[in-house]
Amino acid sequence: MKTFSIVTQRYFLAVIGAVFVMAWSCWAAESGSDAVVKDELKEKYRQEVLGGKGQSPKDQEYLIGYRDILYVEVYGEGSMAVGPSNSGQGAPQAEGQDFLRGRGTGAEVGVDGRVSLRHIGDVYVVGMTLPQLAQYLTKLYSAVFSEPNVITSVVQSNSRQYTVMGQVKTPGLFHLDQPMTIVKAIAKAGGLTEWAKSDITVIRQGNDLIVEKEKEKGSDKPAKKVQQFQFDYDDFVAGKNAEKNIQLEPGDVVVVH
């Protein structure tokens, strides 16, 4: 009887645990295509929490790019990724250079801008935000499933990159996985060489994925304007012009003279 009682207790605990996991999963799924809280309400409450200190800077929405690894799930049906799913480490790389990566778990965006997904095949996704992708895939998967709830996320960002060249110890191409200033980028590239001068140039090229309004015609077109920013490393170390230590954007080229 004692053994039966222990087994019964374990059974009921397992059932309760399963119910909890299912309830949590249903809640988590709301972060996908079924999210019901409007952006206006989110911003209103965010400002209330900030105490009315004005607009707090927000990062731009992530735009899906080439070689990004995406996680796409239809709730209740599992991952929709096609092909191998692994977290290999890839080839060895030089210190300070991180342009070589292993393939993360998920679906990889190919050089043609498409990702291969179960049941619907190849889908062009480059230039979409994650909410847009979830909305788009919900429409496509509606032909396969009844009222699908699509969840999307970025497993590995491979498309956002910047370049450091010139008088640094390990020049190369780097991934922009987090906010990166000029000084941080130089440190990640191994620091300045003994022949480096204090002046640094950041070249910002127009990104085809970022669309801006054309004032005269009122139409959309890619931002093609090239900008240059000057930064003096010695001034920064001396505590001057700290505001010129700007954050880098995808595609930026940092030239150390």
Side-chain angles (χ1 to χ4, degrees):
M1 294 296 292
K2 185 175 181 181
T3 302
F4 174 77
S5 176
I6 294 175
V7 172
T8 303
Q9 289 178 11
R10 289 179 177 176
Y11 172 78
F12 280 115
L13 287 173
V15 171
I16 293 172
V19 171
F20 173 79
V21 170
M22 291 177 63
W24 181 88
S25 298
C26 290
W27 174 82
E30 297 300 318
S31 64
S33 58
D34 280 356
V36 295
V37 179
K38 301 298 183 183
D39 290 340
E40 293 80 6
L41 189 59
K42 294 177 185 177
E43 180 62 23
K44 174 185 175 182
Y45 290 150
R46 194 173 73 95
Q47 290 304 320
E48 288 182 3
V49 171
L50 290 172
K53 295 181 179 179
Q55 289 288 328
S56 176
K58 294 186 295 184
D59 293 335
Q60 294 180 346
E61 284 196 85
Y62 187 89
L63 296 179
I64 298 169
Y66 303 98
R67 292 199 64 245
D68 282 347
I69 306 296
L70 305 178
Y71 178 74
V72 177
E73 175 187 347
V74 175
Y75 177 68
E77 301 293 336
S79 171
M80 294 292 110
V82 173
S85 252
N86 60 73
S87 54
Q89 294 302 312
Q93 59 197 40
E95 182 181 355
Q97 298 183 1
D98 62 355
F99 55 88
L100 296 176
R101 286 184 168 187
R103 189 190 188 286
T105 301
E108 182 174 3
V109 181
V111 294
D112 60 353
R114 292 172 171 81
V115 63
S116 296
L117 299 173
R118 290 168 51 198
H119 306 299
I120 60 175
D122 294 344
V123 182
Y124 191 86
V125 299
V126 166
M128 289 185 176
T129 65
L130 290 175
Q132 288 172 341
L133 177 61
Q135 183 180 5
Y136 176 45
L137 294 182
T138 297
K139 294 179 182 294
L140 296 180
Y141 275 114
S142 294
V144 182
F145 304 109
S146 176
E147 298 183 356
N149 181 12
V150 178
I151 303 169
T152 61
S153 63
V154 177
V155 176
Q156 189 178 96
S157 172
N158 293 324
S159 62
R160 295 167 59 89
Q161 300 171 334
Y162 65 93
T163 304
V164 181
M165 57 188 298
Q167 297 299 327
V168 290
K169 294 179 181 178
T170 53
L173 189 65
F174 299 85
H175 287 282
L176 191 59
D177 289 335
Q178 57 185 318
M180 182 70 59
T181 62
I182 299 174
V183 171
K184 287 183 179 179
I186 293 172
K188 193 169 185 179
L192 303 177
T193 67
E194 58 181 312
W195 302 282
K197 300 177 182 178
S198 66
D199 54 317
I200 297 167
T201 302
V202 176
I203 303 172
R204 179 162 297 167
Q205 306 173 75
N207 191 330
D208 288 339
L209 299 182
I210 300 176
V211 177
E212 62 181 9
K213 290 288 184 180
E214 189 174 6
K215 294 181 179 180
E216 295 181 359
K217 300 180 180 179
S219 59
D220 293 340
K221 70 170 186 177
K224 288 287 188 179
K225 184 170 60 175
V226 177
Q227 297 174 287
Q228 285 194 10
F229 304 93
Q230 303 301 322
F231 177 75
D232 192 299
Y233 191 86
D234 288 346
D235 281 353
F236 177 82
V237 173
K240 303 176 183 178
N241 302 321
E243 71 281 356
K244 291 189 176 182
N245 185 29
I246 61 173
Q247 288 194 4
L248 300 182
E249 294 184 0
D252 282 357
V253 178
V254 180
V255 183
V256 180
H257 301 285

